[in-house]
Amino acid sequence: MRYPKLRELKEAIKALFKGPYTSRFPYEPHKPYERFRGRPEYHQEDCMGCGACFQVCPAKAIDLIDSMDKRTLTVHWDLCVFCGQCQANCPTEKGIMLSREFDLATTGKREELKQTIEKELFICECCGEYIAPKEQILWVAKRLGPLTFSNATLMLFYLMNLNLASGEKNPPKGEEFLRSDRIKILCPRCRREAVIKS
Ligand code: SF4
Ligand code: SF4
């Protein structure tokens, strides 16, 4: 004799009183579960523009462009596979986070399915090369504490942020580096040259 499957029977009886387990989306709004992985969103206040999310994104859904003293980060939701690697590898842990937004259907252009943020870049006083976003340098300086003062670039930026140093740029005069050029905001390549040649 075959007995009814008790677990399924229990679920069926429960569903009679509780209603169906599936949601009625799109006729009614669907509320995803707490840990649902929806579209990733940048949080301007918590992102320092380091670009780690761009480097780890396996779907190449994030663009990073450095131009005109600005770093532009764009996440393309039409390319995203919602893996969560950007959030998992964000040093601030809150710069980009997966939301619970899942309804990305649109009758517009797919290029509109994106979010862009901009971060101001810091520039080498010598060669004009981009060093890093200002917020990233400040983040590093705060974590280093007193060790910040072992690096002239970090130290000057930190003091400028406290209005204790001027942001005036003094490019080296001529080809040669002077000893005084060491106390300037320099990219790693120019700092090496300044230390070796001065
Ligand atoms: S702080 Fe986070 S969100 Fe911002 S660029 Fe870096 S990894 Fe991406
Ligand atoms: S969730 Fe994954 S695919 Fe989407 S932007 Fe982040 S790293 Fe890229």
Side-chain angles (χ1 to χ4, degrees), residues 42 47-53 73 90-92 95-96:
Y42 279 113
C47 170
M48 59 175 165
C50 68
C53 50
L73 286 152
C90 175
T92 69
I96 188 165

Side-chain angles (χ1 to χ4, degrees), residues 55-97:
Q55 287 174 355
V56 299
C57 177
K60 304 211 179 309
I62 296 178
D63 287 342
L64 181 151
I65 298 168
D66 287 345
S67 168
M68 308 288 284
D69 304 356
K70 285 213 163 44
R71 171 165 289 179
T72 308
L73 286 152
T74 306
V75 55
H76 297 271
W77 295 318
D78 57 325
L79 300 176
C80 174
V81 294
F82 312 103
C83 64
Q85 284 301 305
C86 50
Q87 178 179 326
N89 289 282
C90 175
T92 69
E93 299 179 356
K94 289 185 280 182
I96 188 165
M97 295 178 81

Side-chain angles (χ1 to χ4, degrees), residues 21-32 101-105:
Y21 283 90
T22 51
S23 73
R24 285 181 49 77
F25 181 82
Y27 303 107
E28 287 173 11
H30 173 66
K31 198 172 165 208
E101 182 57 54
F102 65 92
D103 189 7
L104 299 175

